[in-house]
């Protein structure tokens, strides 16, 4: 016998737990199916941009974030190799909210607890092995503690992350950017940045564009720093950065991390490397199945937008469903389509901006150096030309005129971009 729910959410990460909390609070019968019995460090996002903080507040999740140990990370400093480190931005002033930093597993635990407290049922140690569309609903084959536990849903939601099995089971086609960046990360203790008085409250980003390298030091509290280092595939760097801490630290240092900052640092979690390119589905809803979070669109992790994009998508899906009078098949279909349109527009805008920024700041070589030589003075004089992904994400212009403005092609006599 199948158990029946309004919504079955597969995956209890940030996407699944946030959606379950919002919909259960509104009175829906929600089941979350989560594979892990206890969350562990999978080297995932631990900083939420200000526009994501605002999305969390709109979803009513501010208390859950605080319960998950989220702390303010208001200062943001971007340094380029060879130049003195600039004063950091204060995101509270420039973006209307600070970024938040946390341990990802602790945040997952807190959000899933919030979903339960809102009335959602949560099955841990359970995963989905099959999906059948029944006409007017979806039947999912679930295995829990070795037992088959079929469930029925008016809407099934794949919130099972970047390697989503639901995406495959439901027949969504995945598009991918060409591989371009390798992005590795590890949690470190004992990191010390010499030149800042507000070390615990400042995100430090380092770029060495000519060599296609970058590094990020993100303090998450408790003396721990999430450190990332990445290289463009054309930089000819050592692929061992995802396996060897020594190679990873050498890359972070070469990218511009100040001498001594990483000396004496110790790993406090696993080291892992990822593809720094996007993967997405064109429309994350089809016939009773929606995808949210990374399952719908995995944005290049080196831009740190995944969690904010996830919460935006969760709000878009929740609002579309809650705008309907009920969860009849026709209402689910309407809500699913409205969500897919809204999500594709937001994700498309962010993706375009990230592509332009990659061309300018993360691509090595003489052609990209020439582009930088042409655009840096223009951008310094007219900063409005540069998309601010940290502060505004997909909001703001991302059309052809915005692209031309970014590359200075709107100016008389401008050449083609490099
Ligand atoms: C290296 C790296 C750095 C990043 N840095 C940032 C950052 O600084 N800021 C930022 O905003 N974003 C960052 N991101 C992106 C961010 O981590 C993701 O966007 C976010 O975790 C997506 O949440 P999710 O819930 O969609 O997926 P996930 O976090 O992957 O959660 C999916 C959940 O589904 C469960 N699951 C999977 N398969 C099944 C199954 N078959 N059955 C049941 N459960 C299942 C998993 O156990 C997990 O709990 C980074 C990503 C990477 C890889």
């Amino acid at each position: 016998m199948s158990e029946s729910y309004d919504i079955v959410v597969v995956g209890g990460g940030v996407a699944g737990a946030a959606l379950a909390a919002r919909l259960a609070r509104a009175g829906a019968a929600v089941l979350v199916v989560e594979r892990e019995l206890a969350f562990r460090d999978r080297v995932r996002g631990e900083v939420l941009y200000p526009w994501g903080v605002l999305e969390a507040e709109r979803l009513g999740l501010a208390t859950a974030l605080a319960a998950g140990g989220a702390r303010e990370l208001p200062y943001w400093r971007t340094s380029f190799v060879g130049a003195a480190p600039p004063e950091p931005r204060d995101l509270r002033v420039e973006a209307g909210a600070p970024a938040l930093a946390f341990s990802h597993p602790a945040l997952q635990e807190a959000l899933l607890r919030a979903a339960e407290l809102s009335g959602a049922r949560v099955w841990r140690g359970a995963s989905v092995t099959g999906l059948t569309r029944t006409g007017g609903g979806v039947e999912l084959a679930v295995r829990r503690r070795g037992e088959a536990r079929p469930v029925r849903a008016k809407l099934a939601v794949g919130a099972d992350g970047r390697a989503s099995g639901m995406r495959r089971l439901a027949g969504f086609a995945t598009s991918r950017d060409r591989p371009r960046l390798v992005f590795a990360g590890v949690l470190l203790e004992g990191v010390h940045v010499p030149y800042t008085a507000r070390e615990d409250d400042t995100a430090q980003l380092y770029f060495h564009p000519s060599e296609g390298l970058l590094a990020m030091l993100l303090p998450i509290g408790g003396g721990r720093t999430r450190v990332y280092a990445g290289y463009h595939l054309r930089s000819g760097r050592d692929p061992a950065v995802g396996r060897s801490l020594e190679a990873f630290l050498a890359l972070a240092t070469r990218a511009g991390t100040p001498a001594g900052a990483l000396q004496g640092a110790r790993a406090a979690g696993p080291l892992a490397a990822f593809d720094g390119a996007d993967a997405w589905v064109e429309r994350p809803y089809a016939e009773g199945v929606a995808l949210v979070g990374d399952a719908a669109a995995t944005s290049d992790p080196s831009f740190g937008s995944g969690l904010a994009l996830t919460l935006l998508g969760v709000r878009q899906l929740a609002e579309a469903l809650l705008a309907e009078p009920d969860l009849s098949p026709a209402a689910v279909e309407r809500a699913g389509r409205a969500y897919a349109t809204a999500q594709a527009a937001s994700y498309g805008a962010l993706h375009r901006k990230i592509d332009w920024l990659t061309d300018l700041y993360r691509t090595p070589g003489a052609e990209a150096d020439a582009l930088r030589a042409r655009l840096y003075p223009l951008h310094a004089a007219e900063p409005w030309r540069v998309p601010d992904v940290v502060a505004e994400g997909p909001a703001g212009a991302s059309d052809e005129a915005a692209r031309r403005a970014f590359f200075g092609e709107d100016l008389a006599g401008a050449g083609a971009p490099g």
Side-chain angles (χ1 to χ4, degrees), residues 10-17 33-36 39-40 42-49 104 108 126-129 159-166 183-185 216 218 226 228 272-274 292-310:
V10 180
V14 170
V33 177
E34 167 54 46
R35 190 174 53 193
E36 303 290 334
F39 294 122
R40 64 200 152 77
R42 294 173 298 145
V43 189
R44 291 294 196 275
E46 301 198 315
V47 168
L48 179 63
Y49 284 163
H104 191 105
Q108 276 188 273
S127 64
V128 168
T129 55
D160 48 348
R162 51 193 290 129
S164 173
M166 282 290 283
F183 191 62
M216 299 174 187
L218 306 170
R226 176 61 67 181
Y228 298 114
F274 297 84
V292 285
D294 275 14
T298 306
S299 79
D300 176 346
S302 72
F303 280 92
S305 301
L307 289 166
L309 187 68
T310 288

Side-chain angles (χ1 to χ4, degrees), residues 161-319:
R162 51 193 290 129
S164 173
M166 282 290 283
R167 196 165 58 201
R168 186 175 31 79
L169 288 173
F172 288 94
T174 308
S175 305
R176 289 177 199 283
D177 279 332
R178 260 181 303 130
R180 52 190 184 194
L181 203 80
V182 171
F183 191 62
V186 65
L187 191 61
L188 296 179
E189 288 170 345
V191 173
H192 175 59
V193 179
Y195 47 70
T196 175
R198 297 180 293 234
E199 185 169 358
D200 285 348
D201 302 329
T202 307
Q204 312 277 359
L205 277 60
Y206 301 99
F207 289 93
H208 191 334
S210 299
E211 294 194 8
L213 311 181
L214 57 92
M216 299 174 187
L217 275 51
L218 306 170
I220 66 162
R224 292 168 306 160
T225 307
R226 176 61 67 181
V227 179
Y228 298 114
Y231 63 87
H232 197 284
L233 288 173
R234 271 195 254 139
S235 69
R237 286 280 145 182
D238 183 357
V241 293
R243 299 188 303 275
S244 148
L245 187 61
E246 202 186 347
F248 174 87
L249 295 175
L251 178 67
T253 305
R254 181 73 197 168
T257 306
L262 299 173
Q263 238 169 27
R266 300 168 301 281
L271 170 67
F274 297 84
D275 195 2
D278 284 35
W280 69 97
V281 301
E282 296 298 338
R283 290 185 61 78
Y285 172 81
E287 297 171 73
V289 182
L291 302 176
V292 285
D294 275 14
T298 306
S299 79
D300 176 346
S302 72
F303 280 92
S305 301
L307 289 166
L309 187 68
T310 288
L311 291 173
L312 170 60
V314 165
R315 180 173 64 80
Q316 288 167 331
L317 178 54
E319 282 182 357

Side-chain angles (χ1 to χ4, degrees), residues 40 49 53 61 91 102 135 160 307 315 339 366 390:
R40 64 200 152 77
Y49 284 163
V53 175
L61 293 173
L91 295 179
F102 37 79
D160 48 348
L307 289 166
R315 180 173 64 80
Y339 159 66
V390 174

Side-chain angles (χ1 to χ4, degrees), residues 26 30 46 65 96 117 125 154 165 169 184 238 246 263 268 295 332 358 366 399:
V30 181
E46 301 198 315
L65 291 186
L117 290 172
K154 294 172 183 164
L169 288 173
D238 183 357
E246 202 186 347
Q263 238 169 27
V332 167
T358 299
D399 57 5

Side-chain angles (χ1 to χ4, degrees), residues 32-80:
V32 180
V33 177
E34 167 54 46
R35 190 174 53 193
E36 303 290 334
L37 285 169
F39 294 122
R40 64 200 152 77
D41 181 359
R42 294 173 298 145
V43 189
R44 291 294 196 275
E46 301 198 315
V47 168
L48 179 63
Y49 284 163
W51 56 281
V53 175
L54 298 176
E55 291 300 339
E57 285 168 5
R58 287 181 189 136
L59 284 163
L61 293 173
T63 308
L65 291 186
R71 56 191 288 282
E72 293 195 359
L73 186 58
Y75 300 108
W76 208 261
R77 187 199 319 266
T78 303
S79 307
F80 285 86

